[in-house]
């Protein structure tokens, strides 16, 4: 039977336990994701309390992190998603917030001009990030947000 959380704080304890085990074992999110059959961004989000994991993936991760059966079962519960209240203070998260503050209206205008009235789904969604060399020195982060367009349907 599918279960669902009603409050965010129930996931925080599990997330802390997972991050502690990951650090203690010196594993990357990529290491933990390997063998689950799922994408890196999805598994990372799940371990941070934003998605449920299928049973098989939860068991793979549970074994890698030495999680007890209760924690493995809790990884499969649909969470209360979202974790930011107000303007973020973490510099990395704030920069994403800043990007949306600056380019959010641009993205909205271009989506509506090219697709019509509707939204880009965050449910039927794919996220990818890769590190690439910057020709001017250093590195760049290439982030791909791939969401299905869902048109507004008048009723």
């Amino acid at each position: 039977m599918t279960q669902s959380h009603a409050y965010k704080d129930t996931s925080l304890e599990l997330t802390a336990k997972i991050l502690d085990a990951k650090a203690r074992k010196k594993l990357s999110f990529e290491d933990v994701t390997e063998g689950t059959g799922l994408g890196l961004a999805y598994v990372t989000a799940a371990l941070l309390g934003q998605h449920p994991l299928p049973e098989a993936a939860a068991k793979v991760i549970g074994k890698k992190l030495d999680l007890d059966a209760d924690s493995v079962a809790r990884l499969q519960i649909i969470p209360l998603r979202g974790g930011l209240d107000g303007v973020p203070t973490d510099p990395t998260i704030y920069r994403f917030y800043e990007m949306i503050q600056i380019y959010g209206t641009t993205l909205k205008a271009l989506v509506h001009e090219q697709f019509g009235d509707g939204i880009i789904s965050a449910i039927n969604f794919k996220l990818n990030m890769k590190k690439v060399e910057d020709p001017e020195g250093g590195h760049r982060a290439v982030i791909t947000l791939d969401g299905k367009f869902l048109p507004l349907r008048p009723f």
Side-chain angles (χ1 to χ4, degrees), residues 91-147:
T92 302
I93 297 172
Y94 178 79
R95 292 299 176 218
F96 284 103
Y97 174 80
E98 178 182 49
M99 289 175 215
I100 294 301
Q101 287 293 320
I102 294 169
Y103 293 104
T105 53
T106 300
L107 291 167
K108 178 184 175 7
L110 292 172
V111 164
H112 293 311
E113 184 175 281
Q114 294 179 25
F115 293 90
D117 192 7
I119 63 167
I120 304 296
S121 173
I123 301 300
N124 186 339
F125 188 79
K126 297 175 186 169
L127 167 74
N128 190 29
M129 185 182 83
K130 65 181 177 178
K131 180 179 176 180
V132 298
E133 296 293 324
D134 186 336
E136 297 175 8
H139 296 94
R140 299 187 68 81
V142 177
I143 300 167
T144 304
L145 307 173
D146 180 350

Side-chain angles (χ1 to χ4, degrees), residues 6-155:
Y7 301 98
K8 287 185 227 177
D9 58 356
T10 60
S11 297
L12 295 177
E13 174 196 337
L14 179 57
T15 297
K17 182 188 242 184
I18 287 165
L19 293 176
D20 286 345
K22 179 182 160 295
R24 191 174 52 256
K25 292 177 162 285
K26 296 180 172 45
L27 297 171
S28 67
F29 282 113
E30 193 170 320
D31 294 330
V32 177
T33 299
E34 191 175 303
T36 65
L38 300 171
L40 176 61
Y42 186 90
V43 171
T44 302
L47 297 179
L48 297 176
Q50 297 301 310
H51 294 306
L53 288 171
E55 183 178 6
K59 287 180 177 180
V60 167
I61 290 168
K63 187 172 182 176
K64 287 182 183 188
L65 298 177
D66 296 326
L67 300 177
D68 58 33
D70 180 60
S71 296
V72 171
R74 290 173 60 201
L75 281 171
Q76 300 168 60
I77 297 174
I78 299 167
L80 183 66
R81 293 177 172 99
L84 301 178
D85 296 321
V87 177
T89 57
D90 176 85
T92 302
I93 297 172
Y94 178 79
R95 292 299 176 218
F96 284 103
Y97 174 80
E98 178 182 49
M99 289 175 215
I100 294 301
Q101 287 293 320
I102 294 169
Y103 293 104
T105 53
T106 300
L107 291 167
K108 178 184 175 7
L110 292 172
V111 164
H112 293 311
E113 184 175 281
Q114 294 179 25
F115 293 90
D117 192 7
I119 63 167
I120 304 296
S121 173
I123 301 300
N124 186 339
F125 188 79
K126 297 175 186 169
L127 167 74
N128 190 29
M129 185 182 83
K130 65 181 177 178
K131 180 179 176 180
V132 298
E133 296 293 324
D134 186 336
E136 297 175 8
H139 296 94
R140 299 187 68 81
V142 177
I143 300 167
T144 304
L145 307 173
D146 180 350
K148 182 175 182 177
F149 179 75
L150 302 174
L152 176 73
R153 294 187 181 148
F155 56 94

